[in-house]
């Protein structure tokens, strides 16, 4: 089976979307599929090239020009989206004819690129919905123009209607789309997860080194490593740190990039938070030392019903490192952590609740001892990307044989 896999985000960029696209596409190759990925040049690299083709372990990769997203300008972000849509369509025209075009969102215009290419290539069209992009854009006030929101919803609905199949990453998303009127038999759930061959092994000596390097000896460390965007609500973490600023044995370590990073740094400066360490993004291998040093791994989102049906991929990364979770999300994420007895919980966007749970964990070591340490193997029974890729391969294979079953 020949697959044209469209994802704006792909390594060497660091992030959950990039990791999922790489793992799934590589595992599809291992399943015997002929996969061509159309992606962009890394956003942090200014490229003078329009296109570049390469091959990596049997995977064909075509990179295309995009206007760089500065993370500070809505205009630049939209130009980034539109430029990838345009150049990915052009690049896709020169790729070999696929059986299936698989477009992974967000952002939504990747889906439009996939739809156009599926028509031009006379291939089946499958769209992957990794978050409810339009709904989140409204909730997070990223799009506050009613006309733009209406147009975005029309585009979203058009893509859902035209797709031969829809892949979502949570059961909550599936139910949400069904309630919106999309037929249940058109939607399949293929969750996030981890590639067991890619996750690192914790080396205690590396944790000791990280603690010494950053002056964190004898500290109880709460680690957050990931996107510092609006959705994460990381100001709550700094507010909790402010509540705990007189407790000298606790440090919050935040690693990553994102639209909110500068505001978080300014808040830290304004409040003189000595118990917060904000670091630049690190490669996966470098993060292993921080995971080894951490006592709790923080997974957090803002407080909204939409986030209760969202499962951040970061949750699986932390579980794969056998680290207890400090979770500020309800719904499906909470049920996963509860089922594994793998973490502690606080109310989303409630700094006092977060501070209280951290204090309880540090003052009562038995709380930490009761948490299941060997969660990795249990988690991998359901959230192994190698197995999830097999499910995706079977789904795409079956899509070839099915005629479009939804029209209205």
């Amino acid at each position: 089976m020949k697959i044209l896999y469209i994802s704006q985000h792909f390594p060497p960029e660091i992030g959950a979307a990039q990791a999922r696209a790489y793992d799934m596409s590589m595992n599809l190759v291992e399943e015997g599929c002929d996969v061509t990925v159309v992606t962009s040049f890394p956003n942090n690299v200014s490229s003078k090239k329009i296109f570049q083709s390469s091959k990596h372990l049997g995977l064909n990769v075509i990179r295309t020009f995009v206007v760089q997203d500065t993370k500070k300008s809505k205009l630049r972000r939209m130009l980034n989206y539109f430029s990838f849509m345009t150049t990915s369509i052009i690049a896709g025209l020169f790729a070999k004819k696929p059986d299936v075009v698989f477009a992974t969102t967000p952002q939504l215009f990747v889906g439009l690129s996939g739809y156009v290419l599926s028509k031009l290539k006379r291939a089946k069209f499958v769209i992957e919905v990794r978050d409810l992009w339009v709904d989140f854009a409204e909730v997070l006030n990223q799009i506050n123009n009613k006309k733009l929101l209406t147009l975005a919803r029309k585009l979203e609905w058009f893509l859902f209607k035209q797709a031969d199949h829809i892949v979502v990453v949570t059961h909550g998303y599936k139910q949400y789309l069904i309630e919106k009127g999309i037929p249940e038999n058109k939607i399949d759930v293929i969750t996030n997860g981890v590639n067991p061959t890619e996750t690192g092994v914790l080396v205690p000596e590396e944790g000791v080194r990280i603690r010494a390097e950053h002056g964190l000896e004898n500290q109880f460390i709460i680690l957050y490593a990931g996107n510092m965007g609006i959705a994460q609500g990381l100001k709550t973490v700094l507010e909790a740190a402010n509540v705990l600023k007189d407790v000298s044995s606790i440090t919050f370590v935040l690693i990553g990039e994102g639209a909110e990073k500068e505001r978080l740094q300014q808040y830290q400066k304004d409040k003189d938070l000595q118990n917060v360490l904000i670091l630049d993004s690190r490669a996966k291998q470098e993060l292993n030392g921080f995971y080894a040093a951490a006592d709790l791994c923080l997974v957090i989102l803002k407080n909204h019903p939409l986030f209760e049906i969202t499962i951040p991929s970061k949750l699986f990364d932390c579980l794969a490192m056998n680290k207890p979770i400090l979770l500020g999300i309800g719904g499906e994420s909470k049920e996963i952590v509860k089922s594994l007895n793998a973490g502690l919980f606080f109310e989303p966007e409630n700094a006092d609740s977060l501070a209280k749970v951290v204090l309880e964990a540090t003052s009562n070591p038995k709380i930490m001892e009761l948490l299941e340490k060997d969660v990795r193997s249990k988690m991998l029974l359901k959230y192994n990307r190698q197995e999830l890729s097999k499910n995706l391969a079977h789904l795409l294979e079956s899509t070839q044989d099915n005629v479009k079953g939804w029209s209205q």
Side-chain angles (χ1 to χ4, degrees), residues 64-81:
T64 74
F65 169 83
V66 289
V67 174
Q68 286 182 286
D69 181 4
T70 63
K71 310 293 184 182
K72 298 176 183 178
S73 163
K74 289 183 179 180
L75 176 59
R76 290 281 294 196
R77 176 158 291 185
M78 293 307 295
L79 288 172
N80 174 266
Y81 293 166

Side-chain angles (χ1 to χ4, degrees), residues 296-299 315 318-319 323-327 337 342-345:
L296 285 170
C297 285
L298 182 63
V299 182
L315 176 61
C318 295
L319 291 172
K323 280 292 175 177
I325 309 297
L326 179 57
L327 186 72
V337 176
L344 306 173
F345 310 96

Side-chain angles (χ1 to χ4, degrees), residues 153-302:
R153 291 194 188 284
K154 285 183 177 180
L155 173 59
E156 181 181 57
W157 183 257
F158 172 80
L159 292 172
F160 291 162
K161 182 177 178 180
Q162 294 299 318
D164 293 287
H165 212 79
I166 301 169
V167 174
V168 294
V169 295
T170 77
H171 295 280
Y173 283 5
K174 179 175 181 176
Q175 188 58 41
Y176 185 81
L177 294 183
I178 290 170
E179 290 171 2
K180 292 289 185 181
I182 297 172
E184 182 176 357
N185 63 2
K186 190 173 180 172
I187 312 168
D188 269 286
V189 180
I190 298 180
T191 65
N192 278 316
V194 295
N195 190 333
T197 64
E198 294 291 326
T199 54
V201 176
L202 291 185
V203 180
E205 291 77 13
E206 281 297 295
V208 172
R209 180 186 65 79
I210 289 293
R211 284 174 173 269
E213 189 176 305
H214 295 280
L216 299 172
E217 299 95 334
N218 303 316
Q219 288 290 296
F220 188 92
I221 298 175
I222 299 101
L223 172 68
Y224 175 86
N227 185 36
M228 297 183 182
I230 299 171
Q232 284 68 40
L234 288 170
K235 187 180 178 184
T236 300
V237 181
L238 269 64
E239 290 170 343
N242 192 41
V243 173
L244 299 170
K245 68 189 305 181
D246 295 327
V247 183
S248 60
S249 60
I250 298 172
T251 299
F252 293 86
V253 178
L254 280 62
I255 303 175
E257 308 297 332
E260 291 295 291
K261 185 173 182 178
E262 287 187 9
R263 278 187 277 268
L264 294 171
Q265 290 172 322
Q266 188 61 50
Y267 184 93
Q268 178 192 19
K269 182 179 178 181
D270 293 344
K271 298 293 183 180
D272 190 27
L273 298 178
Q274 302 299 312
N275 57 347
V276 175
L277 181 62
I278 301 177
L279 301 174
D280 292 340
S281 182
R282 300 291 201 274
K284 249 185 179 180
Q285 295 81 358
E286 293 181 78
L287 281 178
N288 288 347
F290 287 93
Y291 279 117
D295 294 287
L296 285 170
C297 285
L298 182 63
V299 182
I300 181 173
L301 288 173
K302 291 178 77 69

Side-chain angles (χ1 to χ4, degrees), residues 85-114:
M85 180 186 72
T86 303
T87 58
S88 64
I89 290 173
I90 296 170
L93 286 174
F94 293 96
K96 65 184 74 173
K97 184 183 183 310
D99 301 303
V100 178
V101 176
F102 181 74
T104 180
T105 69
Q107 41 90 4
L108 202 56
F109 300 109
V110 176
L112 186 55
S113 171

Side-chain angles (χ1 to χ4, degrees), residues 5-146:
Y5 194 127
I6 306 175
S7 172
Q8 182 167 350
H9 304 292
F10 202 74
E13 286 185 331
I14 299 168
Q18 294 87 329
R20 178 177 171 95
Y22 177 78
D23 286 345
M24 297 299 266
S25 58
M26 284 301 303
N27 288 333
L28 285 170
V29 170
E30 291 178 12
E31 288 299 307
C33 301
D34 184 347
V35 184
T36 298
V37 173
V38 176
T39 187
S40 66
F41 286 103
N43 186 63
N44 61 346
V45 176
S46 179
S47 175
K48 295 180 181 178
K49 297 180 180 179
I50 304 298
F51 304 107
Q52 183 182 72
S53 296
S54 62
K55 196 152 187 169
H56 174 73
L57 299 175
L59 181 70
N60 305 302
V61 180
I62 303 175
R63 295 190 181 274
T64 74
F65 169 83
V66 289
V67 174
Q68 286 182 286
D69 181 4
T70 63
K71 310 293 184 182
K72 298 176 183 178
S73 163
K74 289 183 179 180
L75 176 59
R76 290 281 294 196
R77 176 158 291 185
M78 293 307 295
L79 288 172
N80 174 266
Y81 293 166
F82 278 113
S83 61
F84 179 71
M85 180 186 72
T86 303
T87 58
S88 64
I89 290 173
I90 296 170
L93 286 174
F94 293 96
K96 65 184 74 173
K97 184 183 183 310
D99 301 303
V100 178
V101 176
F102 181 74
T104 180
T105 69
Q107 41 90 4
L108 202 56
F109 300 109
V110 176
L112 186 55
S113 171
Y115 166 72
V116 171
L117 283 169
S118 72
K119 290 300 182 186
L120 294 173
K121 294 285 191 177
R122 296 183 179 180
K124 295 293 184 180
F125 171 46
V126 178
I127 187 168
E128 180 180 54
V129 180
R130 288 189 298 103
D131 74 28
L132 303 171
W133 191 65
V134 180
D135 296 273
F136 288 153
E138 181 177 22
V139 167
L140 299 173
N141 203 33
Q142 293 173 319
I143 302 178
N144 47 29
N145 183 301
K146 296 297 183 183

